[in-house]
Amino acid sequence: MARGGMVGGLKKVRQKYEIPSEGEIYDFAHRLFRAVQLSSECSIVCLIYIERLMEVAKVPLLANTWRPIVMCGLLLASKVWQDLSSWNIEFATVYPQYSLEAIHRLEVKFLRMVKWDLYISSTLYAKYYFALRALISKKDFRQRYNRMVGGIDSVQASEAQKIEARSTLVKEEALLQLSRSM
């Protein structure tokens, strides 16, 4: 672009995203667990949902997408697992960089991409639980995980069945709402 003896150009500035450190990920999740009082089981349910998103919708976790994906996974995990689930406004309060409307849109998009499949069988939950327990035996993992989620209670079959029942209920409600909107 030339103007009055000056030559200049417009160049798109690309924002560079760095791969997050372990501490960054920890701080992001810990802040949410502490503020919204999420149970440790939500971290397992969140992991299942994120892996489901990656498998079903082929969505990769990237340096610029991991925060909203983890936040949305925890939001859905809270709504499915906890008796007193979190509200979107609570998440917007913890992370003001995400507006309430943006969180709502992200939640709907996440649900569509996993085809509204929030069902978690007790077998699947147990598989993830024991895989994570194996990680705990590694150096210092237990202390960092306990600090993040506030302790680990032993999971009994009845707790896994509660998750299965809650996720079935959420799936049925979501399918009912989806059928009404069509």
Side-chain angles (χ1 to χ4, degrees):
M1 173 186 308
R3 179 178 258 198
M6 293 181 61
V7 177
L10 297 176
K11 181 180 175 184
K12 184 175 181 180
V13 177
R14 300 181 93 196
Q15 188 171 359
K16 192 172 186 178
Y17 293 97
E18 298 290 325
I19 295 174
S21 68
E22 186 179 311
E24 244 183 301
I25 296 168
Y26 172 83
D27 291 341
F28 182 83
H30 179 67
R31 185 173 171 198
L32 196 55
F33 271 85
R34 189 182 63 236
V36 184
Q37 298 180 350
L38 298 173
S39 66
S40 58
E41 293 84 2
C42 283
S43 62
I44 298 171
V45 175
C46 174
L47 177 61
I48 294 169
Y49 289 160
I50 290 172
E51 287 197 351
R52 191 170 289 168
L53 177 73
M54 293 170 68
E55 288 173 18
V56 173
K58 308 293 186 227
V59 174
L61 278 179
L62 302 172
N64 62 334
T65 63
W66 72 269
R67 284 181 184 87
I69 290 173
V70 169
M71 181 184 65
C72 191
L74 286 170
L75 175 65
L76 292 171
S78 166
K79 289 181 176 183
V80 170
W81 167 251
Q82 298 193 152
D83 290 330
L84 296 171
S85 67
S86 304
W87 294 74
N88 293 18
I89 190 70
E90 293 175 284
F91 281 66
T93 303
V94 175
Y95 298 115
Q97 65 268 36
Y98 301 104
S99 69
L100 181 58
E101 182 58 32
I103 291 173
H104 175 69
R105 284 191 318 267
L106 181 63
E107 180 182 18
V108 170
K109 188 169 190 160
F110 193 108
L111 286 167
R112 285 183 181 144
M113 293 179 96
V114 296
K115 299 180 176 26
W116 296 83
D117 183 12
L118 299 179
Y119 176 76
I120 298 172
S121 68
S122 56
T123 306
L124 181 63
Y125 182 86
K127 175 184 161 188
Y128 277 81
Y129 173 79
F130 288 112
L132 289 171
R133 290 283 304 207
L135 285 175
I136 289 173
S137 64
K138 294 190 177 186
K139 180 183 174 244
D140 194 37
F141 185 85
R142 177 183 291 269
Q143 290 87 9
R144 289 179 287 135
Y145 182 77
N146 283 342
R147 283 193 310 265
M148 181 176 80
V149 299
I152 299 174
D153 299 325
S154 64
V155 174
Q156 300 172 355
S158 64
E159 290 179 12
Q161 289 172 344
K162 283 182 188 177
I163 292 174
E164 185 173 352
R166 287 183 180 144
S167 61
T168 299
L169 180 64
V170 169
K171 180 180 179 181
E172 290 170 358
E173 288 175 4
L175 289 173
L176 181 63
Q177 287 180 351
L178 182 62
S179 65
R180 286 182 192 160
S181 66
M182 290 183 173

